[in-house]
Amino acid sequence: MHTKFKILMLVRHGQSTGNVDQPTHDHASIPLTALGEEQAKKLSTRIDVRPDLIVASSFRRAQQTAEPLREKFPDVPVEIWPDTAEFTYFSPARCRGTRRTERLPWVKAYWQKQDPRYCDGAGAETFHDLVARATLVLQRVEERPEERIMLFSHGQFISCLLDVARHPYATDDERMTIFRRLPELENTGLVYLLLPQHE
């Protein structure tokens, strides 16, 4: 019996206003910059093979990045999967109106804790939550009938999903120790992942 595989194409969103250090008010509604919109259009021209399913996170910047490909393949089904959103490890209320550079000291302190179950406050996730989401998304993709799925998501979520796929038996502590050293996709970066096809 031969094992069949499916292809998961993972795309990080285009450049967003948060990436260029503009103040952000709601993590989910951060839009693309003009450059990010252009990156999304260029990405769509590089995709020659029609996917069977297009998936985007519930965050605006991921959906905007997917839009040119949706227009290129209007007959391809599109789904929004909220559990593919970016890792929200700070309380949204704490971050409201701040810039990326202002949050850098918080980022450093968070990762120095090395505590997968630490929660920053209301609306924030733990690292354990992120790993659990990535694991469930992988399981969902493996169970889907489509053979070519294109997922528009976010840098840290994609890094975690790839780590879970490649090292399924690692502990959350082990994952968190190396997480910041994992390669992160550039804006509109694309990576292919082969997964078993269940029949």
Side-chain angles (χ1 to χ4, degrees):
M1 179 178 171
H2 296 288
T3 302
K4 292 181 66 178
F5 289 93
K6 64 174 62 187
I7 299 175
L8 176 61
M9 296 165 280
L10 295 155
V11 180
R12 185 187 175 194
H13 62 80
Q15 185 191 73
S16 71
T17 57
N19 294 148
V20 294
D21 211 31
Q22 293 185 27
T24 57
H25 301 282
D26 174 9
H27 198 47
S29 63
I30 296 171
L32 295 182
T33 62
L35 174 59
E37 292 176 355
E38 187 61 32
Q39 289 172 332
K41 291 174 184 175
K42 287 182 178 178
L43 171 71
S44 70
T45 66
R46 303 201 320 259
I47 307 300
D48 296 324
V49 179
R50 175 189 179 279
D52 300 314
L53 175 67
I54 296 172
V55 177
S57 92
S58 53
F59 284 10
R60 180 180 177 186
R61 55 197 183 273
Q63 294 180 32
Q64 286 181 299
T65 306
E67 189 58 33
L69 194 74
R70 294 176 63 171
E71 293 173 357
K72 182 175 182 176
F73 298 111
D75 60 323
V76 174
V78 178
E79 296 183 8
I80 304 300
W81 292 4
D83 48 3
T84 64
E86 183 58 300
F87 182 27
T88 303
Y89 56 96
F90 294 133
S91 170
R94 181 185 181 195
C95 295
R96 194 166 294 124
T98 63
R99 300 173 187 269
R100 184 182 61 84
T101 48
E102 294 176 65
R103 297 189 295 270
L104 287 178
W106 308 350
V107 172
K108 183 177 180 181
Y110 174 84
W111 292 103
Q112 284 179 337
K113 285 181 188 294
Q114 288 293 304
D115 182 357
R117 295 188 180 273
Y118 169 77
C119 182
D120 183 64
E125 294 181 285
T126 66
F127 186 79
H128 172 77
D129 294 333
L130 171 66
V131 173
R133 278 202 292 125
T135 302
L136 287 173
V137 168
L138 270 177
Q139 291 173 353
R140 186 191 310 179
V141 168
E142 290 175 3
E143 292 166 0
R144 295 287 301 220
E146 296 89 355
E147 293 186 1
R148 298 180 66 87
I149 298 175
M150 179 159 273
L151 169 59
F152 290 82
S153 185
H154 308 266
Q156 292 185 103
F157 180 80
I158 291 173
S159 291
C160 185
L161 186 145
L162 290 171
D163 186 54
V164 170
R166 293 165 178 166
H167 307 101
Y169 302 111
T171 66
D172 289 355
D173 288 285
E174 290 168 339
R175 293 191 197 286
M176 195 170 193
T177 299
I178 59 96
F179 189 76
R180 297 288 284 178
R181 300 196 299 271
L182 295 176
E184 188 174 28
L185 287 176
E186 299 290 332
N187 291 118
T188 61
L190 170 63
V191 64
Y192 292 79
L193 181 63
L194 285 178
L195 294 168
Q197 175 85 48
H198 295 304
E199 299 185 26

